[in-house]
Amino acid sequence: MVVADDHPVYRDGLVVALSAGGFDVVGEAADGRAVVALTLELQPDVVIMDLDMPVVGGVEASRRISHASPHVAILVLTMLADDDSVFAALRAGARGYLLKGAGPEEIVLAVRSVAAGSAIFGPAIAQRVMEHFGGGQSADPFPALTAREHEILAQIAAGRNNAAIAAQLALAPKTVRNHVSNILIKLQVSDRAQAMIRARNAGLG
């Protein structure tokens, strides 16, 4: 993994969090030109990309990386929340978009998701992306969830515990626990009771 951010204190903290999450950070960059060069040389699985960087901005750096190495997953991690920045990054090839208010667990989950080929967005960003591509109507109240996570959230909404969900969906209990943890992070709730309330309010269960 390569991490690109022009703020050294934030970048250092991010590297520590990613390393604690089991990732191997093979390179760091403080500007867009440097991250492009590092990525083309090292060919990491994932690049974490700030957008507001000197020399070459993060959108242009993402475009260059996506063109030269389309297999590299780009996860944007930025303070920029405006629509122009979000959609410019997506057009440039980013697979994910998080704001810097995201906690370490959410960032680690996002890295794993984009590395596995999924697209992932912070909750506020996901809503706007769905509204944009859905003509203003978001059919999915939880667009950040995978299909399996939607299934499990529906089971939570129905009041089933992990053991019952595992039996219903023919999954290992540990797999269900992992999915539930991911759901709580993506929904930004602290426990399954809150997840149940949100799911029922959205018509599940």
Side-chain angles (χ1 to χ4, degrees):
M1 178 185 309
V2 168
V3 175
D5 196 293
D6 63 330
H7 292 89
V9 174
Y10 184 83
R11 188 174 68 243
D12 290 348
L14 184 57
V15 169
V16 169
L18 292 167
S19 298
F23 297 107
D24 184 15
V25 179
V26 296
E28 300 177 41
D31 65 72
R33 181 182 297 166
V35 70
V36 172
L38 267 177
T39 301
L40 298 187
E41 175 189 353
L42 300 174
Q43 295 294 308
D45 293 325
V46 178
V47 172
I48 294 186
M49 182 79 73
D50 190 14
L51 292 187
D52 189 12
M53 291 191 295
V55 187
V56 172
V59 169
E60 178 59 25
S62 297
R63 185 178 294 111
R64 294 180 187 181
I65 290 169
S66 295
H67 178 73
S69 298
H71 59 281
V72 175
I74 298 171
L75 172 64
V76 170
L77 183 58
T78 182
M79 294 181 68
L80 301 178
D82 60 285
D83 286 352
D84 287 346
S85 296
V86 172
F87 295 114
L90 296 181
R91 286 192 296 268
R95 286 189 199 165
Y97 200 110
L98 294 183
L99 300 180
K100 284 189 175 179
E105 288 184 340
E106 187 177 354
I107 294 171
V108 166
L109 173 63
V111 171
R112 287 180 179 149
S113 295
V114 298
S118 299
I120 189 163
F121 308 97
I125 302 297
Q127 183 70 22
R128 283 152 54 194
V129 169
M130 292 297 292
E131 288 174 355
H132 176 79
F133 290 108
Q137 297 295 322
S138 177
D140 184 355
F142 307 113
L145 301 187
T146 66
R148 177 63 80 184
E149 288 163 356
H150 275 98
E151 285 184 300
I152 290 176
L153 181 59
Q155 297 288 320
I156 292 173
R160 296 187 177 93
N161 61 25
N162 285 3
I165 294 172
Q168 178 73 20
L169 300 180
L171 296 172
K174 182 178 180 181
T175 300
V176 173
R177 286 196 302 272
N178 290 339
H179 281 305
V180 170
S181 295
N182 290 344
I183 290 167
L184 298 185
I185 292 170
K186 289 182 179 181
L187 267 55
Q188 296 187 326
V189 296
S190 59
D191 56 42
R192 67 190 296 132
Q194 292 181 17
M196 179 187 294
I197 291 169
R198 285 200 56 189
R200 288 180 174 176
N201 286 342
L204 300 180

